[in-house]
Amino acid sequence: MQTALGALALAAPFAGQPAWAQSAEETLIVAGPRTPESLDQEYPPTEAAHELRRNVNERLLTYEMKKGEDGIFYEDFSKVAGALAESWEVAPDFKSITFHLRPGVVSGTGHPLDADDVMWSFERGWNLKSNFHWYMTQILKIEDFDAAFDKIDDMTVKVSIPNASPLLEKLWINSDLGILDSDTMKEHLTDADPWGQRWLATNSASFGPYKVTKYAPGQEIIYEANPDYYRGAPKLKKVIFREMPTSANRLAALQAGAVDVAEYLSPRELSMLGQMPGVTINKVFGNFVHRVEMQNETPPFDNPKVRLALNYLVPRDEIAKAVYFDTARPTKSPISEIYPAFTEEYYNFGNDVEKAKALLAEAGLPDGFKTELGYRTGDQLEEELAVILKTAFAKAGVDVTLSKLPASTLVERYTKGQIPMYFFRDMAIVPDAAYVANLWLNSNSLIDYSRFHSDEVNELINSALTSTEEEKRLSDMKRVQQITMENAPWIFLFNPGYQLATRQNVKGYSWYTPNGNAWFDFYKE
Amino acid sequence: MSQIRNFITFILSRPGAAFGLALLLLQVVAIVFAPLLATHAPTEADPLASLQPPSGAHWLGTDVSGMDIYSRIIYATRVNLLISIVAVAVAFVIGVPVGLVVGYYRGWASTFVMRVFDFIQSFPVFVLGMALVSVMGQEIWNVAIVLAVLFVPIFARLIRAEALSLRDRPFIAAARCSGATDGQIMFRHILPNALTPAIVQISISIGMAILLTAGLSFIGAGVRMPLPEWGLMVSVGSQQMILGVWWVALFPGLAIVFSVLSFALMADALRDYVDPRRERA
Amino acid sequence: MTFSTTWRRLPRTLRIVLTRLPMVVPQMLGVIFVTFMLVRLLPGDPALLMLGNMATPESIANLREQLGLDGSPWQQFVHYLGGVLQGDLGVSLFTSNPVAVDLMERAPATLELIFYAMILTILIAVAIAVLAVVRPGGIADYISRFYGMAAGAIPDFWVGLLLIFFLFSTLGIAAAPFGRIDPMIAAPPTVTGFYTFDAVIAGDFAALRSAAGRLLLPVLTLTIVNAGALMKMTKTTFAEIWRADFIRHQRASGLSQSRIVRNALRNSLPPIITLIGFLVGFLLGAAVLVETIFSWGGLGQYAVQAVTYSDYPALQGFVLVAAVFILVVYLIVDILYELADPRIQV
């Protein structure tokens, strides 16, 4: 009797083992600026949403990863690999692609992957007229759902497009095009909500490495590992992401050891951390292009000389040192420098006040002019830059009024062309120069907020989007960059890079084009 | 004239009030002689000089854009006081007549106006302020107007209370008997007797307006960068506080404290001066 | 039996409540209407903001319809009003949650903060005021003079920052200034929503310690600034009563000092109650700034975010709830005032 009790007493702590399985080594606490606004992948993509989708949704294809010299894992843009698709074929005419799904893939709720999941996800995306629909109609030029999407058998799906597209393969790597677990989704459909939008806004159902177990928007989101994930169970079983809008707070939390990872710290804060023991700072060049866009149709910005003049007034060296602490690189092209076809040969700007004044005089504005620059509420960095630019532009007589605007107001005003200058920091997640140029430089694009218009550029972009000859595409894109730099629709600033500060025992950092962290790659020593 | 001399003598005899007057004068000096007192241009950014602690070159240090804090504090006196004084003046000019009318005439119109004031005052002040400035734009005149809207009910209520208690007094009845019209009764008989608390309130309200302006700018719904304004300066410094950079937020905050204090002290002095129970020499 | 005799037979409390009620409903309607119109005036199109790169005329129209932003303002208002009457305050554009749910999740954070701030404020203000009057020339009197003067001049956001700087960054004795509880510690299961109460109920002392520690700085911030005003008013009122004849009579009759103080306090209650009610309303507004500094996750932060992102339903919901809250507080204050002062006829 007594030995039995004794054995029980010994066994008791071990019987409690499963509750302790999520120990500190398997839990990651992250402090970030914002929780995702919705868990639905049809919600407009934001930085927080990109990170969510990277961890929860799985897509058909992916890039192979390669390790850089800095020990960080990067996507290898030259090598496409299969994710949910074990293999795939691209037709020689680039007008169709056939996916063979990987057998044995199981979702976070235990349902296996099959072609029905893929077709249902396509149908949903097509009908909701949001992200999926945008990609299909704007990039692949699909017009008819039934003609384009075809279920061949239980594990095979074919997508056919009307015109050849060089992006036919690479597009499916975007995590906005994740495949949903239709079996789970179907349990939550109603007549009023036939695509489960209400449910998917606050729940997750896909084949990715994590599922969302707690979602308190504006406060925190908790991811738990999918033990049946096809690449193996994640090493970090639980990731707690807490929203802390102020970067200084995220820094303090990291210093105090309250969190393991602090996202989006300012360059000043990172330089402070650099001297602290116990903290690692991962830095990559990333793909952000930060610039001040000008309203090219509003005088005096309709004159390229004025736009060029402003580019010569920017004190880039001082900004690089004082604002970015030498972590940023000047932007020398509208295409990010790590994407193929990037070239910096057409970048000639330096800080030359005399040259700027001469250009302004040629444009008929020898005494300068008055204008307005908009930036977002809550963006400390942009405010610092705005104040510096105001002083710098004043040297040539350009008197700038600074307008700190709530995000939605700023977006509305630049969409309607009502604000002459505004900051814009963006990145394109498809590593293709034509895709990037099409977003921002094609005058038919709704996102060409600066209303830059060059017929030659439009032609070159359109041909690059439909041609599959790599040589020609490359030279076309170089020409696009040349025209752009000579016309300066923007004031080119910096690529701030992407930095992630973590405690020293957090390893495995990797970088993906949407800049969201993939917790699957991380582990704690 | 002699009233003013009496008042000054009164103030000088009490240390608290004298201190307040001194602070007030200091602010007037800062407003008038700003270009002479400042060491740097208040909105000139110098990125390489960012976040320097107080030193010989920058007496109170620099902020994140490299702007000199001391010079900005001096120039900010103009901005903060201008907004507050304008706001309170407008609120006074509107609130007093409204209060008179509402206190003199009873009836559903008066009740309705009072309900409107209730409504304005029951709104969470900051959210109302933020929303209004968002709608109207971040110009200093708009901030002043928003503040005026918030202060009108205060003056109106004050005058209304006085009017209510005065309207039934014998001397008003006498005036009515001698044929005075309602307007004359309100403005020539009631108003002079009701003004005193309102005048004291002016000083208090200016102090409150300074705090509110600073608060609005702190959240980002006040004046725009890089205008020198005390609350905005504290906001810029708040980011770095937790990192150990104390001078950017400390000094403008002190400026706010001393400025508001000066108006509060003057209000107290005024109140004591007109208090009928005070022994007059 | 006439109306007036029936009326006089009702208990006094009930009479007070009934006279005030008829005003409440029209006031509420007024609040909803004006808020709605004001919020619609806010610049910024949330649909455009949300769509960003994916904007096409089709998707914009689609999203607008989804968010309920199509139709004339009048139509939208009627639709909104109908919802409110059923308890549906719309869905937040940026959290995708029903606004009512968002508000209920965040309300306890703000209420807990205001609750402790009020307690501390009342304790400090009344204690100093009473002591200052009862012992003139003593330390309390001295402190009260300076404090009364200075407190009204100090911006609360500045005090919060200084407290963070001195007690956290420099001395390291205060808890980190972000959030209501340490991220490593799970919040106690919700019973009241107050972390402190819930932690006690659940017997979770680690959570209690952490929550109390985090409450310290924001509560101190709110108290330091507001206790001054309450203290000045209490001192004035209490001083008048203290010098009144009936108190002198009690002293002459040999009642103990503490008894006399208590009686004097009771008589000073009416204006103090009014000011406390006013303070509660004021604190709700002050909470906006303090919550932002301390990342508190309460209603104040929610409101600031709503204005920043033109999140119409959230902003309307917040203003509605705040206005209701304040109206209720004023109602209670008026009732307590009339209860405490038997001279008032109802």
PDB file of all heavy atoms in Angstrom, chain B residues 1 11 29 55 64 68 71 90 96 102 105 109-110 120 138 151 169 171 202 220 234 246-248 250 256 259 274 277:
ATOM      1  N   MET B   1      -8.015 103.251 -13.328  1.00  0.00           N
ATOM      2  CA  MET B   1      -6.569 103.344 -13.158  1.00  0.00           C
ATOM      3  C   MET B   1      -6.164 103.015 -11.730  1.00  0.00           C
ATOM      4  O   MET B   1      -5.282 102.238 -11.468  1.00  0.00           O
ATOM      5  CB  MET B   1      -6.134 104.771 -13.494  1.00  0.00           C
ATOM      6  CG  MET B   1      -5.205 104.957 -14.654  1.00  0.00           C
ATOM      7  SD  MET B   1      -3.985 103.943 -15.177  1.00  0.00           S
ATOM      8  CE  MET B   1      -3.943 102.417 -15.562  1.00  0.00           C
ATOM      9  N   ILE B  11      -1.497  92.503  -5.028  1.00  0.00           N
ATOM     10  CA  ILE B  11      -0.738  91.326  -5.445  1.00  0.00           C
ATOM     11  C   ILE B  11       0.633  91.309  -4.790  1.00  0.00           C
ATOM     12  O   ILE B  11       1.097  90.281  -4.291  1.00  0.00           O
ATOM     13  CB  ILE B  11      -0.563  91.314  -6.974  1.00  0.00           C
ATOM     14  CG1 ILE B  11      -1.906  91.056  -7.651  1.00  0.00           C
ATOM     15  CG2 ILE B  11       0.422  90.246  -7.378  1.00  0.00           C
ATOM     16  CD1 ILE B  11      -1.796  90.982  -9.136  1.00  0.00           C
ATOM     17  N   VAL B  29       7.671  88.752 -21.634  1.00  0.00           N
ATOM     18  CA  VAL B  29       9.027  89.039 -22.147  1.00  0.00           C
ATOM     19  C   VAL B  29       9.404  88.011 -23.217  1.00  0.00           C
ATOM     20  O   VAL B  29       9.932  88.355 -24.273  1.00  0.00           O
ATOM     21  CB  VAL B  29      10.049  89.023 -20.988  1.00  0.00           C
ATOM     22  CG1 VAL B  29      11.462  88.953 -21.530  1.00  0.00           C
ATOM     23  CG2 VAL B  29       9.877  90.248 -20.114  1.00  0.00           C
ATOM     24  N   SER B  55      24.076  71.476 -22.906  1.00  0.00           N
ATOM     25  CA  SER B  55      25.494  71.773 -23.004  1.00  0.00           C
ATOM     26  C   SER B  55      25.643  73.262 -23.265  1.00  0.00           C
ATOM     27  O   SER B  55      24.654  73.979 -23.343  1.00  0.00           O
ATOM     28  CB  SER B  55      26.115  70.989 -24.160  1.00  0.00           C
ATOM     29  OG  SER B  55      25.568  71.473 -25.382  1.00  0.00           O
ATOM     30  N   VAL B  64      14.989  65.152 -31.222  1.00  0.00           N
ATOM     31  CA  VAL B  64      15.393  64.089 -32.143  1.00  0.00           C
ATOM     32  C   VAL B  64      15.768  64.619 -33.529  1.00  0.00           C
ATOM     33  O   VAL B  64      16.548  64.016 -34.247  1.00  0.00           O
ATOM     34  CB  VAL B  64      14.265  63.027 -32.208  1.00  0.00           C
ATOM     35  CG1 VAL B  64      13.181  63.475 -33.171  1.00  0.00           C
ATOM     36  CG2 VAL B  64      14.799  61.684 -32.549  1.00  0.00           C
ATOM     37  N   ASP B  68      16.938  73.047 -31.327  1.00  0.00           N
ATOM     38  CA  ASP B  68      17.335  73.494 -29.998  1.00  0.00           C
ATOM     39  C   ASP B  68      16.116  73.636 -29.091  1.00  0.00           C
ATOM     40  O   ASP B  68      15.171  74.358 -29.394  1.00  0.00           O
ATOM     41  CB  ASP B  68      18.062  74.838 -30.117  1.00  0.00           C
ATOM     42  CG  ASP B  68      18.484  75.368 -28.767  1.00  0.00           C
ATOM     43  OD1 ASP B  68      19.200  74.654 -28.048  1.00  0.00           O
ATOM     44  OD2 ASP B  68      18.088  76.503 -28.434  1.00  0.00           O
ATOM     45  N   SER B  71      15.397  77.347 -27.438  1.00  0.00           N
ATOM     46  CA  SER B  71      14.809  78.312 -28.371  1.00  0.00           C
ATOM     47  C   SER B  71      13.361  77.962 -28.664  1.00  0.00           C
ATOM     48  O   SER B  71      12.502  78.832 -28.762  1.00  0.00           O
ATOM     49  CB  SER B  71      15.604  78.331 -29.680  1.00  0.00           C
ATOM     50  OG  SER B  71      16.957  78.555 -29.412  1.00  0.00           O
ATOM     51  N   VAL B  90     -12.839  84.243 -27.303  1.00  0.00           N
ATOM     52  CA  VAL B  90     -14.016  83.898 -28.102  1.00  0.00           C
ATOM     53  C   VAL B  90     -15.097  83.275 -27.229  1.00  0.00           C
ATOM     54  O   VAL B  90     -16.280  83.629 -27.314  1.00  0.00           O
ATOM     55  CB  VAL B  90     -13.632  82.922 -29.239  1.00  0.00           C
ATOM     56  CG1 VAL B  90     -14.877  82.372 -29.902  1.00  0.00           C
ATOM     57  CG2 VAL B  90     -12.756  83.630 -30.255  1.00  0.00           C
ATOM     58  N   VAL B  96     -20.846  84.721 -22.472  1.00  0.00           N
ATOM     59  CA  VAL B  96     -21.461  85.656 -21.516  1.00  0.00           C
ATOM     60  C   VAL B  96     -22.850  86.105 -21.976  1.00  0.00           C
ATOM     61  O   VAL B  96     -23.815  85.994 -21.227  1.00  0.00           O
ATOM     62  CB  VAL B  96     -20.515  86.850 -21.258  1.00  0.00           C
ATOM     63  CG1 VAL B  96     -21.262  87.980 -20.593  1.00  0.00           C
ATOM     64  CG2 VAL B  96     -19.346  86.412 -20.403  1.00  0.00           C
ATOM     65  N   VAL B 102     -30.008  83.175 -21.303  1.00  0.00           N
ATOM     66  CA  VAL B 102     -30.560  81.922 -20.796  1.00  0.00           C
ATOM     67  C   VAL B 102     -30.931  82.036 -19.322  1.00  0.00           C
ATOM     68  O   VAL B 102     -31.882  81.414 -18.856  1.00  0.00           O
ATOM     69  CB  VAL B 102     -29.543  80.781 -21.013  1.00  0.00           C
ATOM     70  CG1 VAL B 102     -29.923  79.557 -20.227  1.00  0.00           C
ATOM     71  CG2 VAL B 102     -29.433  80.443 -22.476  1.00  0.00           C
ATOM     72  N   TYR B 105     -34.268  84.854 -19.315  1.00  0.00           N
ATOM     73  CA  TYR B 105     -35.508  84.270 -19.800  1.00  0.00           C
ATOM     74  C   TYR B 105     -35.587  82.834 -19.369  1.00  0.00           C
ATOM     75  O   TYR B 105     -34.663  82.071 -19.585  1.00  0.00           O
ATOM     76  CB  TYR B 105     -35.546  84.292 -21.327  1.00  0.00           C
ATOM     77  CG  TYR B 105     -35.577  85.664 -21.922  1.00  0.00           C
ATOM     78  CD1 TYR B 105     -34.490  86.144 -22.627  1.00  0.00           C
ATOM     79  CD2 TYR B 105     -36.687  86.485 -21.781  1.00  0.00           C
ATOM     80  CE1 TYR B 105     -34.500  87.404 -23.173  1.00  0.00           C
ATOM     81  CE2 TYR B 105     -36.709  87.748 -22.327  1.00  0.00           C
ATOM     82  CZ  TYR B 105     -35.613  88.202 -23.021  1.00  0.00           C
ATOM     83  OH  TYR B 105     -35.620  89.455 -23.559  1.00  0.00           O
ATOM     84  N   ALA B 109     -36.737  77.322 -24.523  1.00  0.00           N
ATOM     85  CA  ALA B 109     -35.537  77.629 -25.308  1.00  0.00           C
ATOM     86  C   ALA B 109     -34.300  77.599 -24.419  1.00  0.00           C
ATOM     87  O   ALA B 109     -33.252  77.065 -24.792  1.00  0.00           O
ATOM     88  CB  ALA B 109     -35.676  78.987 -25.976  1.00  0.00           C
ATOM     89  N   SER B 110     -34.456  78.178 -23.234  1.00  0.00           N
ATOM     90  CA  SER B 110     -33.327  78.174 -22.316  1.00  0.00           C
ATOM     91  C   SER B 110     -32.955  76.759 -21.913  1.00  0.00           C
ATOM     92  O   SER B 110     -31.788  76.392 -21.862  1.00  0.00           O
ATOM     93  CB  SER B 110     -33.674  78.970 -21.055  1.00  0.00           C
ATOM     94  OG  SER B 110     -33.967  80.295 -21.396  1.00  0.00           O
ATOM     95  N   ILE B 120     -22.417  68.938 -24.845  1.00  0.00           N
ATOM     96  CA  ILE B 120     -21.018  69.236 -25.171  1.00  0.00           C
ATOM     97  C   ILE B 120     -20.120  68.812 -24.030  1.00  0.00           C
ATOM     98  O   ILE B 120     -19.054  68.234 -24.219  1.00  0.00           O
ATOM     99  CB  ILE B 120     -20.824  70.744 -25.451  1.00  0.00           C
ATOM    100  CG1 ILE B 120     -21.562  71.155 -26.709  1.00  0.00           C
ATOM    101  CG2 ILE B 120     -19.344  71.074 -25.595  1.00  0.00           C
ATOM    102  CD1 ILE B 120     -21.423  72.626 -27.030  1.00  0.00           C
ATOM    103  N   GLN B 138      -5.312  70.791 -39.024  1.00  0.00           N
ATOM    104  CA  GLN B 138      -4.450  71.136 -37.906  1.00  0.00           C
ATOM    105  C   GLN B 138      -3.865  72.537 -37.982  1.00  0.00           C
ATOM    106  O   GLN B 138      -2.665  72.699 -37.898  1.00  0.00           O
ATOM    107  CB  GLN B 138      -3.304  70.136 -37.825  1.00  0.00           C
ATOM    108  CG  GLN B 138      -3.721  68.820 -37.215  1.00  0.00           C
ATOM    109  CD  GLN B 138      -2.521  67.940 -36.983  1.00  0.00           C
ATOM    110  OE1 GLN B 138      -2.053  67.246 -37.880  1.00  0.00           O
ATOM    111  NE2 GLN B 138      -1.992  67.982 -35.791  1.00  0.00           N
ATOM    112  N   PHE B 151     -15.230  75.704 -24.168  1.00  0.00           N
ATOM    113  CA  PHE B 151     -15.295  76.597 -23.016  1.00  0.00           C
ATOM    114  C   PHE B 151     -16.572  77.435 -22.940  1.00  0.00           C
ATOM    115  O   PHE B 151     -16.904  77.966 -21.881  1.00  0.00           O
ATOM    116  CB  PHE B 151     -14.096  77.543 -23.003  1.00  0.00           C
ATOM    117  CG  PHE B 151     -12.811  76.879 -22.594  1.00  0.00           C
ATOM    118  CD1 PHE B 151     -11.641  77.099 -23.297  1.00  0.00           C
ATOM    119  CD2 PHE B 151     -12.777  76.025 -21.506  1.00  0.00           C
ATOM    120  CE1 PHE B 151     -10.456  76.487 -22.922  1.00  0.00           C
ATOM    121  CE2 PHE B 151     -11.598  75.414 -21.122  1.00  0.00           C
ATOM    122  CZ  PHE B 151     -10.436  75.651 -21.838  1.00  0.00           C
ATOM    123  N   ARG B 169     -33.969  90.274  -7.805  1.00  0.00           N
ATOM    124  CA  ARG B 169     -33.609  91.252  -6.769  1.00  0.00           C
ATOM    125  C   ARG B 169     -34.418  92.523  -6.925  1.00  0.00           C
ATOM    126  O   ARG B 169     -34.845  92.863  -8.032  1.00  0.00           O
ATOM    127  CB  ARG B 169     -32.126  91.607  -6.882  1.00  0.00           C
ATOM    128  CG  ARG B 169     -31.198  90.480  -6.525  1.00  0.00           C
ATOM    129  CD  ARG B 169     -30.917  90.416  -5.022  1.00  0.00           C
ATOM    130  NE  ARG B 169     -29.936  89.380  -4.745  1.00  0.00           N
ATOM    131  CZ  ARG B 169     -28.615  89.598  -4.836  1.00  0.00           C
ATOM    132  NH1 ARG B 169     -28.170  90.798  -5.148  1.00  0.00           N
ATOM    133  NH2 ARG B 169     -27.787  88.611  -4.605  1.00  0.00           N
ATOM    134  N   PHE B 171     -33.534  95.595  -6.984  1.00  0.00           N
ATOM    135  CA  PHE B 171     -33.080  96.690  -7.845  1.00  0.00           C
ATOM    136  C   PHE B 171     -33.420  96.447  -9.305  1.00  0.00           C
ATOM    137  O   PHE B 171     -33.585  97.377 -10.087  1.00  0.00           O
ATOM    138  CB  PHE B 171     -31.579  96.961  -7.624  1.00  0.00           C
ATOM    139  CG  PHE B 171     -30.637  95.986  -8.303  1.00  0.00           C
ATOM    140  CD1 PHE B 171     -30.068  96.285  -9.530  1.00  0.00           C
ATOM    141  CD2 PHE B 171     -30.316  94.764  -7.709  1.00  0.00           C
ATOM    142  CE1 PHE B 171     -29.190  95.406 -10.143  1.00  0.00           C
ATOM    143  CE2 PHE B 171     -29.445  93.884  -8.320  1.00  0.00           C
ATOM    144  CZ  PHE B 171     -28.885  94.209  -9.541  1.00  0.00           C
ATOM    145  N   ILE B 202     -11.788  83.621 -16.505  1.00  0.00           N
ATOM    146  CA  ILE B 202     -10.930  83.815 -17.683  1.00  0.00           C
ATOM    147  C   ILE B 202      -9.536  83.284 -17.396  1.00  0.00           C
ATOM    148  O   ILE B 202      -8.958  82.528 -18.176  1.00  0.00           O
ATOM    149  CB  ILE B 202     -10.841  85.306 -18.075  1.00  0.00           C
ATOM    150  CG1 ILE B 202     -12.151  85.763 -18.688  1.00  0.00           C
ATOM    151  CG2 ILE B 202      -9.717  85.518 -19.073  1.00  0.00           C
ATOM    152  CD1 ILE B 202     -12.109  87.195 -19.147  1.00  0.00           C
ATOM    153  N   GLY B 220      -1.318  64.158 -30.933  1.00  0.00           N
ATOM    154  CA  GLY B 220      -1.154  64.342 -32.365  1.00  0.00           C
ATOM    155  C   GLY B 220      -2.349  65.021 -33.003  1.00  0.00           C
ATOM    156  O   GLY B 220      -2.472  65.055 -34.217  1.00  0.00           O
ATOM    157  N   VAL B 234       6.718  67.811 -25.786  1.00  0.00           N
ATOM    158  CA  VAL B 234       6.704  66.688 -24.852  1.00  0.00           C
ATOM    159  C   VAL B 234       6.434  65.395 -25.602  1.00  0.00           C
ATOM    160  O   VAL B 234       7.047  64.364 -25.336  1.00  0.00           O
ATOM    161  CB  VAL B 234       5.624  66.888 -23.763  1.00  0.00           C
ATOM    162  CG1 VAL B 234       5.519  65.658 -22.882  1.00  0.00           C
ATOM    163  CG2 VAL B 234       5.944  68.104 -22.918  1.00  0.00           C
ATOM    164  N   TRP B 246      16.003  62.282 -21.064  1.00  0.00           N
ATOM    165  CA  TRP B 246      15.005  62.954 -20.242  1.00  0.00           C
ATOM    166  C   TRP B 246      14.769  64.408 -20.617  1.00  0.00           C
ATOM    167  O   TRP B 246      13.708  64.949 -20.384  1.00  0.00           O
ATOM    168  CB  TRP B 246      15.418  62.874 -18.773  1.00  0.00           C
ATOM    169  CG  TRP B 246      16.827  63.329 -18.566  1.00  0.00           C
ATOM    170  CD1 TRP B 246      17.959  62.555 -18.613  1.00  0.00           C
ATOM    171  CD2 TRP B 246      17.262  64.659 -18.303  1.00  0.00           C
ATOM    172  NE1 TRP B 246      19.076  63.324 -18.401  1.00  0.00           N
ATOM    173  CE2 TRP B 246      18.672  64.628 -18.213  1.00  0.00           C
ATOM    174  CE3 TRP B 246      16.606  65.869 -18.139  1.00  0.00           C
ATOM    175  CZ2 TRP B 246      19.429  65.766 -17.958  1.00  0.00           C
ATOM    176  CZ3 TRP B 246      17.362  67.011 -17.886  1.00  0.00           C
ATOM    177  CH2 TRP B 246      18.763  66.950 -17.808  1.00  0.00           C
ATOM    178  N   TRP B 247      15.742  65.060 -21.262  1.00  0.00           N
ATOM    179  CA  TRP B 247      15.628  66.508 -21.390  1.00  0.00           C
ATOM    180  C   TRP B 247      14.591  66.955 -22.411  1.00  0.00           C
ATOM    181  O   TRP B 247      14.062  68.036 -22.301  1.00  0.00           O
ATOM    182  CB  TRP B 247      16.990  67.135 -21.711  1.00  0.00           C
ATOM    183  CG  TRP B 247      17.668  66.544 -22.908  1.00  0.00           C
ATOM    184  CD1 TRP B 247      17.615  66.992 -24.196  1.00  0.00           C
ATOM    185  CD2 TRP B 247      18.503  65.380 -22.941  1.00  0.00           C
ATOM    186  NE1 TRP B 247      18.346  66.191 -25.021  1.00  0.00           N
ATOM    187  CE2 TRP B 247      18.911  65.195 -24.275  1.00  0.00           C
ATOM    188  CE3 TRP B 247      18.944  64.475 -21.971  1.00  0.00           C
ATOM    189  CZ2 TRP B 247      19.744  64.138 -24.665  1.00  0.00           C
ATOM    190  CZ3 TRP B 247      19.772  63.430 -22.366  1.00  0.00           C
ATOM    191  CH2 TRP B 247      20.152  63.281 -23.707  1.00  0.00           C
ATOM    192  N   VAL B 248      14.311  66.113 -23.378  1.00  0.00           N
ATOM    193  CA  VAL B 248      13.412  66.570 -24.445  1.00  0.00           C
ATOM    194  C   VAL B 248      11.987  66.759 -23.932  1.00  0.00           C
ATOM    195  O   VAL B 248      11.286  67.666 -24.340  1.00  0.00           O
ATOM    196  CB  VAL B 248      13.415  65.569 -25.621  1.00  0.00           C
ATOM    197  CG1 VAL B 248      12.622  66.110 -26.778  1.00  0.00           C
ATOM    198  CG2 VAL B 248      14.831  65.270 -26.049  1.00  0.00           C
ATOM    199  N   LEU B 250      11.207  66.829 -20.438  1.00  0.00           N
ATOM    200  CA  LEU B 250      11.148  67.460 -19.122  1.00  0.00           C
ATOM    201  C   LEU B 250      10.937  68.963 -19.219  1.00  0.00           C
ATOM    202  O   LEU B 250      10.040  69.517 -18.584  1.00  0.00           O
ATOM    203  CB  LEU B 250      12.438  67.166 -18.349  1.00  0.00           C
ATOM    204  CG  LEU B 250      12.478  67.848 -16.982  1.00  0.00           C
ATOM    205  CD1 LEU B 250      11.586  67.095 -16.022  1.00  0.00           C
ATOM    206  CD2 LEU B 250      13.882  67.935 -16.436  1.00  0.00           C
ATOM    207  N   ILE B 256       5.047  74.243 -19.262  1.00  0.00           N
ATOM    208  CA  ILE B 256       3.596  74.154 -19.119  1.00  0.00           C
ATOM    209  C   ILE B 256       3.198  74.395 -17.662  1.00  0.00           C
ATOM    210  O   ILE B 256       2.293  75.182 -17.366  1.00  0.00           O
ATOM    211  CB  ILE B 256       3.064  72.776 -19.555  1.00  0.00           C
ATOM    212  CG1 ILE B 256       3.357  72.534 -21.029  1.00  0.00           C
ATOM    213  CG2 ILE B 256       1.581  72.658 -19.286  1.00  0.00           C
ATOM    214  CD1 ILE B 256       2.947  71.158 -21.501  1.00  0.00           C
ATOM    215  N   SER B 259       3.592  78.023 -16.665  1.00  0.00           N
ATOM    216  CA  SER B 259       2.649  78.904 -17.341  1.00  0.00           C
ATOM    217  C   SER B 259       1.256  78.772 -16.738  1.00  0.00           C
ATOM    218  O   SER B 259       0.611  79.757 -16.386  1.00  0.00           O
ATOM    219  CB  SER B 259       2.628  78.561 -18.836  1.00  0.00           C
ATOM    220  OG  SER B 259       1.654  79.326 -19.489  1.00  0.00           O
ATOM    221  N   VAL B 274     -11.569  90.572  -5.249  1.00  0.00           N
ATOM    222  CA  VAL B 274     -12.957  91.038  -5.367  1.00  0.00           C
ATOM    223  C   VAL B 274     -13.869  90.442  -4.302  1.00  0.00           C
ATOM    224  O   VAL B 274     -15.045  90.749  -4.257  1.00  0.00           O
ATOM    225  CB  VAL B 274     -13.542  90.716  -6.754  1.00  0.00           C
ATOM    226  CG1 VAL B 274     -12.728  91.391  -7.823  1.00  0.00           C
ATOM    227  CG2 VAL B 274     -13.618  89.229  -6.962  1.00  0.00           C
ATOM    228  N   ARG B 277     -15.634  89.975   1.384  1.00  0.00           N
ATOM    229  CA  ARG B 277     -15.268  89.818   2.783  1.00  0.00           C
ATOM    230  C   ARG B 277     -13.854  90.279   3.084  1.00  0.00           C
ATOM    231  O   ARG B 277     -13.409  90.274   4.209  1.00  0.00           O
ATOM    232  CB  ARG B 277     -15.398  88.350   3.198  1.00  0.00           C
ATOM    233  CG  ARG B 277     -16.847  87.894   3.238  1.00  0.00           C
ATOM    234  CD  ARG B 277     -16.950  86.429   3.564  1.00  0.00           C
ATOM    235  NE  ARG B 277     -16.439  85.616   2.489  1.00  0.00           N
ATOM    236  CZ  ARG B 277     -16.465  84.292   2.492  1.00  0.00           C
ATOM    237  NH1 ARG B 277     -16.954  83.653   3.523  1.00  0.00           N
ATOM    238  NH2 ARG B 277     -15.983  83.617   1.481  1.00  0.00           N
TER     239      ARG B 277
END
